[in-house]
Structures are given as structure tokens and as C-alpha cells.
Amino acid sequence: YRRYNVDYDERILPSICFETIKAVVAKFDAEELITQREVVSRTVRDLLTERADEFKIVLDDVAITHLSFSPEFTRAIEEKQVAQQNAERAGFTVLMNEQERVANVIRAEGEAEAARLISDALKDSAAFLELRKIDASRHISKTLARSSNITFLPGGASPLISLPYSNARRGGGGGGGGGGGGGSS
């Protein structure tokens, strides 16, 4: 009182409050100021009590009752949150694209293996080709049966076009058809 005059509370307290709050707030980011309000409040109270003690001022209680930010700071926080959401969305998109790429590779490998197996089966037996024709005919018949269009197939005819089968098509070179001659055991 004698050293700082009668208006010490109007001169000293605002100064040390502002100084203390500024120092504490600088230690936290905006999200922490909101989510860790108790820690912030306790830190302000401890530092403010310590600083006030230097001026022989005794503080009974310190409470943060209202916490607000400038419009520029609030806008910056919102922009940061939007940027984080966009970054997370982009990361998710990259992850999904990577998973899709891996799935495509696996699918292509499976299709290549299936094509290899079919090719091997065709080399070993012409009956496999007939089996595939029958399966395709069944599929076509089922599709036509469900169709609202009316389709007529000649009795006993295959819905597939009959093409002559030759060794040239199988890669066997020139030479006659695939059927006659010698027996098999």
C-alpha cells in the first residue's frame, strides 16, 4: 500500500494477470486450452499467486470464467480443422486406392492362372471345350428364360455358333482336322 500507492490493484494486478496468462497460454495450443481447462487454470493460479506474492499481494482464488479467441484466431482454428479433415480424407482416399490396386493385381493374377488352367485343359482334352460350350448354353438359356423378350431357338440346336475346330487354332500347325485316324487307349 505504502510502496505502490492506493490504486495498486488497478495498476499491478492487471499487469501481472496479463503477463501470467500470456505466458501460460503460450504453452498450450488452442485445442488444449479448451480440453485441458483445469490444467490451464491451475497453472495460471499457481504462477499468478507466485507473481502476486512478489508484490506482497495475497490471492484467495483465481478462476478462468470465460475463454474466448479473436475472430482471426477462431478462423485460423477452423481452417486448421478443415485442413486436417481434408488431409485425413486424402489419406483415406490414398489408402482405398492402394487397396483397390492390390485387389486388381490379385484379381489379374487369379484370372491369369484361370486362363492358364483352361489353356492347359484345352491342350489335354477337347471334351473340356464341349463342357464349356454346355455351361455357356445353360447360362444363355437361363438369361433368355428370364428375359421379357421372346426368343425362339430351333429344336436341338445350340445357341452358340458352331465353328470348325482345327489344330491350327490350337497352335498345332497345319494339318488336317482334329478328329480322324488312330485310336486312343
Side-chain angles (χ1 to χ4, degrees):
Y1 165 75
R2 290 180 195 183
R3 184 173 180 190
Y4 302 112
N5 210 349
V6 281
D7 61 344
Y8 69 92
D9 58 337
E10 293 175 9
R11 291 181 318 133
I12 295 172
L13 279 178
S15 175
I16 63 173
C17 283
F18 182 73
E19 175 185 312
T20 302
I21 290 172
K22 188 175 177 181
V24 171
V25 167
K27 295 178 183 178
F28 297 91
D29 65 27
E31 185 177 332
E32 291 172 335
L33 288 173
I34 295 168
T35 60
Q36 298 180 15
R37 189 174 181 146
E38 286 299 317
V39 175
V40 173
S41 183
R42 188 175 341 110
T43 306
V44 167
R45 180 178 49 245
D46 293 346
L47 287 176
L48 193 56
T49 303
E50 185 179 303
R51 189 77 172 101
D53 190 46
E54 294 174 12
F55 294 96
K56 306 295 185 227
I57 299 172
V58 177
L59 299 176
D60 291 332
D61 189 26
V62 176
I64 298 176
T65 57
H66 181 70
L67 188 61
S68 63
F69 302 109
S70 70
E72 295 84 18
F73 190 70
T74 303
R75 187 172 37 259
I77 291 172
E78 289 171 357
E79 288 172 0
K80 180 182 174 188
Q81 288 174 339
V82 168
Q84 285 175 333
Q85 290 171 351
N86 288 340
E88 288 174 9
R89 189 176 300 119
F92 179 74
T93 302
V94 167
L95 181 63
M96 291 299 294
N97 289 341
E98 177 63 19
Q99 289 177 350
E100 186 176 329
R101 185 192 66 77
V102 169
N104 287 338
V105 168
I106 292 170
R107 187 178 305 112
E109 289 172 351
E111 289 172 359
E113 179 66 14
R116 186 189 62 76
L117 291 173
I118 290 171
S119 176
D120 290 348
L122 286 173
K123 287 178 189 174
D124 294 341
S125 171
F128 181 76
L129 184 59
E130 285 300 315
L131 180 62
R132 295 292 290 186
K133 282 183 179 180
I134 292 169
D135 286 341
S137 294
R138 283 185 186 151
H139 177 70
I140 291 169
S141 297
K142 286 180 184 178
T143 302
L144 290 174
R146 287 187 297 241
S147 173
S148 61
N149 296 333
I150 299 173
T151 305
F152 294 99
L153 296 175
S158 171
L160 298 176
I161 300 173
S162 292
L163 297 174
Y165 185 73
S166 70
N167 280 341
R169 190 174 276 158
R170 286 193 294 166
S184 61
S185 43

